[in-house]
Amino acid sequence: MTSDNTRRTPLVRLRRDGAVDEATLAYARTKIDAVVGRQGMPTVTGEVRIARASAPHAGHPWSATADLRIGGRHVVAVAEEATGTEVVDRLQDRLRRQTDRAAHAGDTGHRTTAPPWRGGSGTPEPLTGPDSSTGANEEK
């Protein structure tokens, strides 16, 4: 059975598969909100799914998958562990690393140019526009 829980983070859906208890879902909600609700994060949308295998012989019966869009970047994180809290903690660690990369991989002002064999000059051109720090666009 799959349940849809969207109480705190309306843009990130938290779903469950199998016999996932409410305490694990509440713990997952707080951990995921801590990652995606940080100051300075771009808009985050997507889904986090927590599953518990029904087979008692499974080595890691708990699994979690996060499929998120952070700004313009796609982030996927997967974790498998023996208990619900361990899988949520592992997923939080992996999501934090990947969301940090995705949030800071935006436009840094560096522009690549085409190499000479593709018709480019081979040297980067200076930035022009409102973000440039050279002051070339200022009216005098």
Side-chain angles (χ1 to χ4, degrees):
M1 176 195 263
T2 304
S3 168
D4 184 9
N5 299 306
T6 58
R7 292 184 193 157
R8 290 190 183 179
T9 310
L11 299 176
V12 177
R13 296 172 58 178
L14 180 60
R15 301 181 67 145
R16 66 176 166 190
D17 287 335
V20 179
D21 56 305
E22 288 297 322
T24 302
L25 284 178
Y27 185 69
R29 249 184 239 112
T30 58
K31 292 294 192 167
I32 291 174
D33 284 347
V35 172
V36 300
R38 291 178 295 164
Q39 188 73 15
M41 286 290 290
T43 303
V44 179
T45 59
E47 176 179 278
V48 175
R49 182 178 299 244
I50 302 203
R52 183 175 182 188
S54 59
H57 62 276
H60 296 290
W62 289 86
S63 65
T65 305
D67 186 5
L68 304 176
R69 289 288 288 170
I70 301 171
R73 305 233 179 229
H74 186 224
V75 172
V76 176
V78 178
E80 290 183 350
E81 289 296 330
T83 66
T85 55
E86 287 176 358
V87 78
V88 170
D89 290 339
R90 177 71 52 108
L91 184 69
Q92 181 192 22
D93 291 341
R94 290 180 179 174
L95 269 178
R96 186 174 302 273
R97 279 195 307 268
Q98 290 190 20
T99 55
D100 285 346
R101 265 191 232 136
H104 292 74
D107 186 25
T108 60
H110 298 288
R111 306 244 169 115
T112 59
T113 59
W117 58 88
R118 295 220 172 163
S121 65
T123 59
E125 296 179 16
L127 290 176
T128 59
D131 293 337
S132 68
S133 59
T134 59
N137 290 344
E138 295 177 6
E139 294 184 22
K140 295 182 180 181

